[in-house]
Amino acid sequence: MGEPAASARPAPDLVVLGGTVLTLDRGGTRASALAARDGRITEIGDDRAIAALAGPGTTVLDLAGRTVVPGFVESHNHPSFFGMALAAPVDAGSPPNDRISDIADRVRQAARDFGPGEWIKGFRYDDTLLADNRHPTRHDLDPAAPRNPVLLTHVTGHFSVANSAALRAVGITAATPDPPGGAIARDERGEPTGLLIETAAFLVNSAMPAQGPDELAHALQLADAEYLRNGVTSVHDTGIGLIGGEQELAAYRMLTRAGKLRTRVHGYLFHTLLPGLAEGTPEPPDPTNPANPDGFTMNGIKIVADGSIQGRTGCLAEGYTCDPGEHGMMLLEPDDLSRRIAALDAAGWQVAVHGNGDAAIDAIIDGYARLGAPEGTGRRHRIEHCQTAREDQLDRMAENGIAASFFIKHVYYWGDRHRDVFLGPERARRISPLASARSRGIRFGLHSDTPVTPVPPLEGIWCAVARQTSSGQLLGPEQAIDVEAALRGYTIDAAYLAGEEEIKGSLEAGKLADLIVLSEDPTTVDPSRIRDLTVDATVIGGQLVWQRDPAETGGVR
């Protein structure tokens, strides 16, 4: 029997017409239209053929000359942390704050709004952007909120600053020892200054009043709305439990059951949370039988090997330019890291290890290399950020089948400071070495690490292509990649990192109908304009979940 006539087929739920469809399939196919039914793409073609498929109940998305690309896959984000930052009473970032006194004024206003004893939280402070050029201390915060515990979280998430009331509330005194992998900053008398470094900051978060799943679910929904507005249809939550402990899992389960999680979230559980979960240890995914892609799924385990370059806790083989005797720190000793990687791999987990400094990256590669040949496991172990990877390290990554998720926005947001303060010109020009990685066939995703930098993937794509710092200077232009390769870093190659390239990341028949409408074709505009393009509509599973004002964008009919 032949194929059924087109008129006998069920009409699609959605057709998209009248523009450019960048499929990002293996052949780089371009079309003008597509159709989808039951959440999957059914046809790719021209306007006439696809329009003929539409029925009375079909939603028609008129592109009016605009461009469709696969939905963006954000390969390293922190949705709970992001949502909490959006909801926080204190925006400690720069901008809007120029000085520590500006942050203190915001804390003072929050203290007027809060009752005595209530915790006041702030996010995004960056000591390197403040005119004071230092971290705040408890002495800065105490006068602003003498009756409230205050905790400010650094933009990187690797530091926190507590006022005296907060230190008392969590039991940190001069006698409190530094935790492994962290430090409590102290003054000349040995008293805590309020600055808590790496795992010391984690300790305070775990000692604060527990956040319930309702509060965390609200934070996740705030993040979800921002993802959709920026065309992110899937996000890898790399560190579930780091902020809210087990309640983060409860919040995800609650939203999934209620059908209120629109972005597809793929979770990487923070490794310290894995043992002793109240509801039992999640089962590792079976790479031969992908999980239901809707809502929330658990993909792997996240480990943090070192700190951040801009915080001078990223572990470098050579010292920091501004302090040659300082090499940063490992949060786990290399042998311990290798043991953890081996145990998780043996249990069937994909492992994602945070590594910024090249000394930390060496330790991570060593841990993965000891596992033997990766062929057949399907687990695709990853290095997160991979900020200062050297050429010899990229060689070893290629040899051992190690994937990467590069924090490309470092080039714009911290590139000048990496060059002039932290790393010096030669090391700085090699941060996020995309061209070198691509030349070796290393599959990589790109990410914003939100809330560390803003969400928009279009900005990340521009960063990968332009290699321009916030001062307008080029930083390592030889490591730039072309627009299509950068698009792949936010679509099909990011999907590959989670083992999902067969169901998402490109627009092909049978794949999920996750797509976004862009104001223009990013492959044909001047590269300098890529970050200024707009996301006009976001579709997940064939359903329009967000759009700009239809009067401005053409919209749906």
Side-chain angles (χ1 to χ4, degrees):
M1 296 180 63
E3 289 291 318
S7 59
R9 300 176 191 168
D13 301 317
L14 171 75
V15 298
V16 179
L17 304 166
T20 299
V21 177
L22 299 181
T23 67
L24 296 184
D25 65 6
R26 289 181 178 86
T29 304
R30 288 173 175 255
S32 62
L34 63 79
R37 181 175 177 82
D38 296 330
R40 302 268 177 166
I41 297 169
T42 56
E43 306 268 356
I44 302 283
D46 60 38
D47 286 351
R48 182 175 179 180
I50 298 299
L53 302 175
T58 300
T59 297
V60 178
L61 182 56
D62 182 2
L63 296 178
R66 292 168 296 175
T67 297
V68 162
V69 300
F72 292 134
V73 179
E74 233 300 347
S75 60
H76 186 113
N77 251 225
H78 303 281
S80 297
F81 185 13
F82 179 31
M84 288 169 61
L86 291 171
V90 175
D91 180 356
S94 299
N97 304 290
D98 296 321
R99 298 179 177 275
I100 290 174
S101 58
D102 297 333
I103 299 173
D105 287 343
R106 291 173 181 270
V107 171
R108 185 174 290 106
Q109 181 57 55
R112 295 190 191 106
D113 299 335
F114 282 52
E118 290 187 68
W119 280 80
I120 296 173
K121 301 173 189 175
F123 293 87
R124 297 198 316 115
Y125 89 84
D126 185 343
D127 56 302
T128 68
L129 288 180
L130 293 168
D132 312 79
N133 196 31
R134 64 173 175 85
H135 295 273
T137 70
R138 63 186 174 94
H139 302 296
D140 298 308
L141 302 178
D142 285 352
R147 298 186 297 170
N148 296 84
V150 177
L151 187 70
L152 304 180
T153 300
H154 193 263
V155 65
T156 64
H158 288 263
F159 306 85
S160 291
V161 175
N163 71 346
S164 295
L167 293 173
R168 286 194 299 271
V170 300
I172 292 179
T173 69
T176 304
D178 290 342
I184 299 167
R186 304 171 196 271
D187 62 21
E188 63 278 0
R189 296 175 299 169
E191 294 291 333
T193 67
L195 176 62
L196 305 165
I197 301 166
E198 299 295 347
T199 57
F202 303 163
L203 283 177
V204 175
N205 283 320
S206 64
M208 289 173 63
Q211 295 163 313
D214 288 339
E215 181 182 358
L216 289 163
H218 175 64
L220 289 172
Q221 288 182 288
L222 291 176
D224 181 62
E226 286 299 301
Y227 291 137
L228 299 183
R229 190 170 69 84
N230 287 285
V232 175
T233 57
S234 291
V235 60
H236 298 179
D237 186 336
T238 46
I240 294 174
L242 185 59
I243 296 294
E246 190 173 345
Q247 296 304 313
E248 285 188 55
L249 277 176
Y252 271 124
R253 290 171 179 139
M254 183 170 69
L255 289 174
T256 301
R257 286 193 297 266
K260 294 182 178 179
L261 191 64
R262 297 172 297 175
T263 308
R264 306 183 197 275
V265 177
H266 304 274
Y268 291 78
L269 193 71
F270 195 60
H271 68 103
T272 59
L273 193 63
L274 186 59
L277 290 173
E279 292 194 26
T281 300
E283 288 294 321
D286 178 356
T288 66
N289 184 25
N292 185 333
D294 294 326
F296 171 75
T297 57
M298 186 67 72
N299 273 48
I301 305 298
K302 164 74 173 296
I303 299 174
V304 179
D306 72 339
S308 73
I309 301 298
Q310 56 268 42
R312 291 194 288 173
T313 54
C315 193
L316 295 172
E318 298 181 9
Y320 283 82
T321 300
C322 54
D323 186 356
E326 176 61 69
H327 289 255
M329 62 194 303
M330 290 291 293
L331 274 61
L332 293 171
E333 290 301 317
D335 286 346
D336 186 16
L337 175 63
S338 290
R339 284 192 295 271
R340 292 171 188 259
I341 288 172
L344 292 169
D345 177 78
W349 286 105
Q350 181 191 22
V351 184
V353 185
H354 161 122
N356 272 312
D358 59 336
I361 293 170
D362 267 333
I364 298 166
I365 295 172
D366 287 345
Y368 287 150
R370 292 176 189 177
L371 301 177
E375 288 83 0
T377 67
R379 289 193 276 281
R380 297 176 184 173
H381 298 317
R382 308 165 41 163
I383 300 179
E384 305 302 300
H385 309 320
C386 210
Q387 194 63 205
T388 58
R390 306 184 306 262
E391 293 290 307
D392 62 296
Q393 292 176 324
L394 294 172
D395 288 338
R396 293 187 67 205
M397 289 174 65
E399 290 165 8
N400 289 279
I402 302 168
S405 179
F406 285 109
F407 190 174
I408 186 57
K409 293 191 182 184
H410 259 114
V411 172
Y412 178 74
Y413 284 96
W414 281 282
D416 291 316
R417 283 167 284 167
H418 282 347
R419 181 193 61 236
D420 300 337
V421 179
F422 305 124
L423 298 174
E426 291 309 309
R427 284 184 295 178
R429 71 183 298 123
R430 284 193 45 76
I431 63 171
S432 297
L434 305 188
S436 289
R438 191 160 184 254
S439 71
R440 290 164 169 80
I442 296 171
R443 295 287 289 270
F444 57 80
L446 303 174
H447 70 258
S448 64
D449 201 17
T450 305
V452 178
T453 66
V455 174
L458 285 165
E459 181 181 64
I461 291 164
W462 170 81
C463 286
V465 173
R467 298 284 300 195
Q468 184 174 306
T469 70
S470 59
S471 70
Q473 298 184 54
L474 295 181
L475 187 68
E478 67 277 5
Q479 291 297 342
I481 56 176
D482 61 65
V483 176
E484 184 170 328
L487 276 168
R488 289 177 177 276
Y490 269 107
T491 55
I492 188 65
D493 289 343
Y496 173 88
L497 295 188
E500 295 185 320
E501 72 278 12
E502 297 301 322
I503 61 170
K504 66 173 62 167
S506 61
L507 301 177
E508 302 177 66
K511 285 195 170 185
L512 294 168
D514 294 356
L515 53 96
I516 57 176
V517 178
L518 299 181
S519 54
E520 297 179 71
D521 182 346
T523 67
T524 61
V525 301
D526 188 302
S528 66
R529 294 185 52 232
I530 291 173
R531 65 173 171 171
D532 299 322
L533 304 184
T534 60
V535 175
D536 289 345
T538 302
V539 173
I540 297 180
Q543 300 295 312
L544 184 69
V545 293
W546 183 86
Q547 66 173 327
R548 292 189 182 278
D549 184 347
E552 299 177 5
T553 63
V556 174
R557 70 171 190 268

